[in-house]
Amino acid sequence: MSLYPLGLRLAGRRVLVVGGGVLATRRVPALMAAGAHVDVVSPVVTPALQDLADKGRIGWHGRPFEPSDVDEAWLVLAATNEQAVNAQISARCEAQRVFCVRADDAEAATAWTPAVARHGEVTVAAFGGGDPRRAARLRDEIGERLADGSLTGKSFRDAPKQGRVTLVGAGPGDPELITVRGRRALAVADVVVVDRLAPHLLLDELRPEVEIFDAAKIPYGRYAAQEEINAFIVQRAKAGCDVVRLKGGDAFVFGRGGEEVAACVAEGIPVTVVPGVTSAIAAPSAAGIPVTHRGVVHDFTVVSGHVPPGHPKSLVEWPALARMKGTLVLLMAIENLPAITAALIDGGRDPHTPAAVIADATTSSQEVVHATLGTLGEHALRPPATVVIGQVTALAEELRGTVR
């Protein structure tokens, strides 16, 4: 069957979906993203569709299909489990000259839904000659190549009309934990500014001509001053480059991402923030430690330990933290850990409180040390490491073997 491919502009236009099952649940979000006014007709719907209806984001008519439902619809999806009902919908659409997608019979449909891959403003739609699995395989192959940069030549590159900056949180260490949007930003970057906590394996995927600025950020060692990093980012963006600031974890969790955004805003440079998986939660998870657990703890606090208790620049109320019963997660705390544990114990925290340190979390060299608050200082520890203090660390033994 020959097809004439089109891109439909559905914003503000009514789309009818008949059926409230899994297929409707899959199709409705894309219709909503296109701006369509979605009406679902079905006696029952999935919890996800029920939630959208309760929030007023879609219309739901809890009854069987009626021919008048097609009136004023620009597009109809027949997604019921009953072939006779889908045929009735299709016939009504034919009479009304409305295109109809049928879930049960592509040959009887007047429109097909392609397998879609999205890459920024680029949308790729694949048809498989009536074979949805072939279309999905083609879509996945193109999507992967767009995401990893192997299909980002001049015709595909989302090149900016002016310079721009994207702050990308690369996750806790494993390069596969970067988000899809973060990898997409790297695929089109002209310049990448990276420090030591970002997964450097991601740099091997960059195009050969990409300029890399190594900001180091080695604790108590070699590093580029923040002002130098800001100036470099601004200078390259003003030159028309697509700049990616690649940071470990999340850019806004002790990553000075706010300072870099402020520097760009002050110069009128467009900036986008791509959130990352923060090690404050991911590192404990990788060690089988949930930062919260029903019946054990209802809260957790994330604290920077780069300044010790009692230091004039410290902004942390250590006595207040000592009195709390929740989980305490410490980042950048290895150098000052003896002083921190002493302050917590002096403030009333039980020295026998279970604790753990996760070094090089989510990587092949991950190391986990279990101790108590009072014995943490007895272990040789190395950064980058995440410290977890609280009863949840005792759950690691129970969950061991289930976390990989």
Side-chain angles (χ1 to χ4, degrees):
M1 180 181 294
S2 298
L3 298 176
Y4 187 80
L6 284 175
L8 299 182
R9 301 181 67 178
L10 297 175
R13 296 182 168 93
R14 181 173 179 264
V15 174
L16 173 66
V17 178
V18 185
V22 174
L23 181 60
T25 303
R26 291 177 54 189
R27 299 296 185 223
V28 165
L31 293 170
M32 294 172 57
H37 173 77
V38 180
D39 276 329
V40 175
V41 173
S42 178
V44 295
V45 295
T46 64
L49 293 176
Q50 172 79 63
D51 181 61
L52 291 174
D54 290 344
K55 292 177 179 176
R57 301 184 65 188
I58 64 172
W60 173 35
H61 308 277
R63 54 169 174 76
F65 169 75
E66 298 175 359
S68 60
D69 290 329
V70 175
D71 296 348
E72 299 185 3
W74 290 69
L75 176 68
V76 175
L77 275 65
T80 78
N81 293 324
E82 300 180 32
Q83 187 173 15
V85 175
N86 289 340
Q88 181 188 9
I89 299 167
S90 183
R92 177 64 176 178
C93 289
E94 186 76 22
Q96 295 285 86
R97 297 184 178 181
V98 176
F99 283 106
C100 178
V101 178
R102 285 187 60 169
D104 61 329
D105 191 344
E107 295 298 321
T110 53
W112 290 1
T113 301
V116 175
R118 294 179 175 86
H119 182 81
E121 296 180 353
V122 175
T123 299
V124 177
F127 293 99
D131 184 348
R133 290 172 296 183
R134 179 165 58 179
R137 288 195 298 269
L138 178 59
R139 180 270 316 276
D140 292 343
E141 182 176 343
I142 295 173
E144 289 174 5
R145 293 189 61 193
L146 285 170
D148 66 20
S150 60
L151 194 61
T152 52
K154 290 183 178 180
S155 60
F156 283 94
R157 286 201 59 210
D158 185 19
K161 296 179 181 179
Q162 58 179 323
R164 65 181 179 188
V165 174
T166 307
L167 268 66
V168 175
D174 184 342
E176 292 189 350
L177 293 180
I178 189 173
T179 64
V180 172
R181 190 172 183 184
R183 189 178 290 272
R184 182 185 300 155
L186 286 174
V188 298
D190 300 308
V191 180
V192 174
V193 181
V194 62
D195 57 53
R196 72 179 192 94
L197 291 179
H200 279 225
L201 275 176
L202 293 171
L203 303 181
D204 193 43
E205 301 177 3
L206 300 175
R207 303 188 321 281
E209 66 271 22
V210 173
E211 179 184 5
I212 298 175
F213 178 93
D214 186 357
K217 293 289 186 181
I218 299 174
Y220 311 102
R222 194 164 53 86
Y223 69 95
Q226 188 62 51
E227 293 75 16
E228 181 184 352
I229 296 172
N230 294 350
F232 180 85
I233 291 172
V234 168
Q235 189 273 331
R236 287 296 189 271
K238 282 188 171 182
C241 295
D242 193 331
V243 182
V244 169
R245 175 65 169 108
L246 189 65
K247 308 169 81 73
D250 182 274
F252 279 7
V253 180
F254 305 133
R256 296 190 178 181
E259 297 179 37
E260 291 164 352
V261 169
C264 293
V265 171
E267 297 292 334
I269 297 169
V271 58
T272 301
V273 177
V274 179
V277 179
T278 174
S279 59
I281 299 173
S285 296
I289 302 170
V291 292
T292 63
H293 194 77
R294 186 170 61 169
V296 178
V297 63
H298 293 168
D299 63 297
F300 69 96
T301 305
V302 182
V303 181
S304 170
H306 74 290
V307 177
H311 192 282
K313 292 185 178 181
S314 176
L315 302 176
V316 179
E317 292 290 342
W318 293 104
L321 290 176
R323 293 191 298 270
M324 296 176 66
K325 297 180 180 180
T327 304
L328 183 60
V329 180
L330 305 175
L331 302 181
M332 301 181 290
I334 297 303
E335 182 76 12
N336 297 315
L337 195 54
I340 291 172
T341 57
L344 292 172
I345 293 171
D346 290 345
R349 193 84 178 220
D350 186 348
H352 296 99
T353 302
V357 179
I358 307 98
D360 293 326
T362 74
T363 71
S364 59
S365 57
Q366 175 176 301
E367 181 181 358
V368 182
V369 174
H370 286 275
T372 66
L373 177 60
T375 62
L376 273 175
E378 300 175 5
H379 298 272
L381 306 169
R382 69 180 191 281
T386 302
V387 180
V388 188
I389 300 169
Q391 294 299 324
V392 289
T393 61
L395 296 170
E397 183 65 31
E398 177 183 341
L399 300 178
R400 185 172 295 167
T402 65
V403 179
R404 292 289 186 269

